Structure formats: C-alpha cells, structure tokens
Amino acid sequence: MASPMRSLLTDLSRYVRCFHVFLAKSTEHQTMKQFVEQQLPGLLASTGSGKSAFNILSVGGGAGEIDLQIISAVQASYPGVAINNEVIEPSADQILKYKERVAATSNLDNVKFTWHEETANEYESRMKAEKKSQKWDFIHMIQKPVAGKRSGGSMGLPFLQMTSALTCPLLISKGFWIQSG
C-alpha cells in the first residue's frame, strides 16, 4: 500500500515553506554560523594550501546564506585565491534569491558561481552521462534533506559514494556528518 504522505521533494514551493518553518523553529543557521566561525578555519587550514583555486560544491545551497559564510571563511584562509563555487539547488526561486544575495555582497571578485537547477541525483546522473569528473576541496550539504532511496529522498547512497572517494572535507548538517581529510 502506498504511503498517504506526499514527499516534499515533489512540490518545491511546499518544501521551501516547510524549510522556512523548520528554520524558524530550529537553531540550524545559528549552529552553522558558529561552526563556520569556530571550526571551519581549522578544517580549511590544510585543504587548499598551495592551490591557485579552491573548488566548493554546495549541495542544496538554498538562498546562499550559509554558502556565503563558508566562502568568506575560505577567503580569510586563502586570501586572493580564486574560488569556484558550484551550487546544486532544485528550486529556481532559491537560486534567484541566491543570485540576488551574491549581487548585494561585496568582496566576491575572486569567486565564480555556477548554479545547477537540479537535484543531487540529477546532477550525479548528468555528470556520469557526460563522463565528467570534478575534484572538490570542500563539499557541503547543509540545507539538503539527506534521505535514503527507500524514503524517496533525492540524496541517496550513490551520491554519497560518489563523493566519499574524494579527499576533502565533507559537511552534512542535516545528517550531522563531518568528514575531514
């Protein structure tokens, strides 16, 4: 028998509304800000050392609030280094808000943004089909519902397997999983 509950992933505007209720009732953004200020600099200390560019993959970047804090921390750790920030976000509305936030933010001259309006599974499938591979210095999935295939989530085990072979810090807020090194 099919579950009477609808997945939030099938209605992006409903997902965004629910996410805003979650943010209003949680301390997620405050906790992430604290992490970015207190712990991220230590994780970044050896990640991008000696590189001319720092590559970030943001899975579920939302409207970019936390992403820009992370970028600021990377800039503080590696002044003048080019930053490539690739964002996977299925909501066109969130991408628009992210772009507006970037336009209103100073000190982003060395940052290149690339937005992909798709789910993590769609991104993974496209990358495999195009036979593209990318190395990342930092991957984060902060505003991404992490769910297995059984629950119909858009971030299942294959995506985590695809990223787990990388030698970079990986931060997943919803799943409270932080991997470094």
Side-chain angles (χ1 to χ4, degrees), residues 135-168:
K135 292 190 178 190
W136 307 103
D137 298 301
F138 189 76
I139 300 171
H140 65 88
M141 303 172 193
I142 294 168
Q143 297 183 359
K144 176 74 189 99
V146 178
K149 293 285 188 187
R150 287 181 293 160
S151 64
S154 66
M155 170 84 63
L157 186 59
F159 187 84
L160 294 178
Q161 288 172 336
M162 179 181 89
T163 60
S164 67
L166 304 175
T167 56
C168 64

Side-chain angles (χ1 to χ4, degrees), residues 61-172:
E65 302 97 327
I66 304 298
D67 287 25
L68 292 179
Q69 292 175 23
I70 290 171
I71 289 168
S72 180
V74 172
Q75 288 175 317
S77 294
Y78 301 104
V81 171
I83 298 171
N84 300 308
N85 188 61
E86 199 153 336
V87 181
I88 303 168
E89 172 56 54
S91 169
D93 184 55
Q94 291 293 89
I95 290 174
L96 179 62
K97 289 176 182 171
Y98 196 136
K99 289 178 178 180
E100 290 170 352
R101 183 169 270 116
V102 166
T105 303
S106 60
N107 299 327
L108 294 176
D109 295 336
N110 66 326
V111 184
K112 177 187 171 213
F113 291 89
T114 307
W115 288 276
H116 302 281
E117 186 182 329
E118 58 192 349
T119 66
N121 278 349
E122 291 166 344
Y123 175 83
E124 178 187 11
S125 295
R126 184 174 54 79
M127 294 300 280
K128 285 181 179 178
E130 295 173 4
K131 296 184 181 356
K132 289 185 178 177
S133 65
Q134 172 72 42
K135 292 190 178 190
W136 307 103
D137 298 301
F138 189 76
I139 300 171
H140 65 88
M141 303 172 193
I142 294 168
Q143 297 183 359
K144 176 74 189 99
V146 178
K149 293 285 188 187
R150 287 181 293 160
S151 64
S154 66
M155 170 84 63
L157 186 59
F159 187 84
L160 294 178
Q161 288 172 336
M162 179 181 89
T163 60
S164 67
L166 304 175
T167 56
C168 64
L170 175 66
L171 169 63
I172 302 176

Side-chain angles (χ1 to χ4, degrees), residues 28-83:
E28 181 190 65
H29 277 189
Q30 295 87 348
T31 302
M32 290 312 306
K33 183 177 187 215
Q34 194 173 33
F35 170 81
V36 168
E37 291 171 355
Q38 296 174 7
Q39 295 178 357
L40 186 57
L43 287 173
L44 294 174
S46 64
T47 304
S49 186
K51 294 185 178 193
S52 60
F54 194 93
N55 298 316
I56 301 171
L57 178 63
S58 168
V59 183
E65 302 97 327
I66 304 298
D67 287 25
L68 292 179
Q69 292 175 23
I70 290 171
I71 289 168
S72 180
V74 172
Q75 288 175 317
S77 294
Y78 301 104
V81 171
I83 298 171

